[in-house]
Amino acid sequence: MGNLLFLSGIGPRKRDSKEIPGVTLTPDGKIDKYDIETQCRAVFQNVRLVLEDAGASWNDIIDVTVFLTNMKKDFPIYNKLYAEYFAGDGKPNPTRTTIEVTALPTPIAIELKVIAALQETTD
């Protein structure tokens, strides 16, 4: 919309695959165990890929909404990785809201909604 790019429902699933990094499922498809660090890194990679497909970059992110299924257990790890991914670019970090939800639509522990401001081109 205008110069804003809205991404929603970005989870850790590998692009063009049903594989979910950091998740072990039970035979009936429920989460048996998960590694939140692996999932966070996969989510950030997926955000980066979608941004690049739209002609944007990581540095264009202005707002992030994070959905975690276990705030108490996972927020410290997520927060550490967030600081790592947004460190050193010389500008303020995007605004961020983190929400705990009881479940996400697929067997994942984290999902992001992102808003990026597209840069104007001079072509």
Side-chain angles (χ1 to χ4, degrees):
M1 173 61 103
N3 74 327
L4 296 177
L5 176 65
F6 296 86
L7 287 61
S8 66
I10 307 293
R13 186 180 309 272
K14 280 192 172 184
R15 189 180 256 191
D16 298 324
S17 169
K18 293 187 180 209
E19 181 186 346
I20 305 171
V23 176
T24 304
L25 300 175
T26 61
D28 63 349
K30 293 187 172 50
I31 297 174
D32 180 39
K33 58 185 173 183
Y34 68 92
D35 178 333
I36 193 64
E37 181 169 348
T38 300
Q39 283 196 48
C40 287
R41 292 187 187 282
V43 169
F44 291 155
Q45 175 62 22
N46 287 342
V47 167
R48 192 177 304 272
L49 291 170
V50 174
L51 289 169
E52 289 171 359
D53 285 350
S57 76
W58 188 259
N59 290 334
D60 295 328
I61 297 173
I62 58 173
D63 183 67
V64 178
T65 303
V66 183
F67 301 92
L68 294 174
T69 59
N70 188 332
M71 184 78 74
K72 188 173 186 174
K73 177 177 168 258
D74 297 337
F75 183 79
I77 296 164
Y78 169 78
N79 198 44
K80 176 186 73 118
L81 293 171
Y82 186 90
E84 174 187 317
Y85 276 76
F86 285 100
D89 63 7
K91 67 174 200 153
N93 286 346
T95 58
R96 179 181 72 175
T97 303
T98 306
I99 302 165
E100 182 177 52
V101 294
T102 57
L104 290 163
T106 59
I108 58 177
I110 182 171
E111 185 174 282
L112 265 60
K113 177 180 177 279
V114 174
I115 301 172
L118 299 173
Q119 303 301 313
E120 306 245 349
T121 59
T122 58
D123 295 358

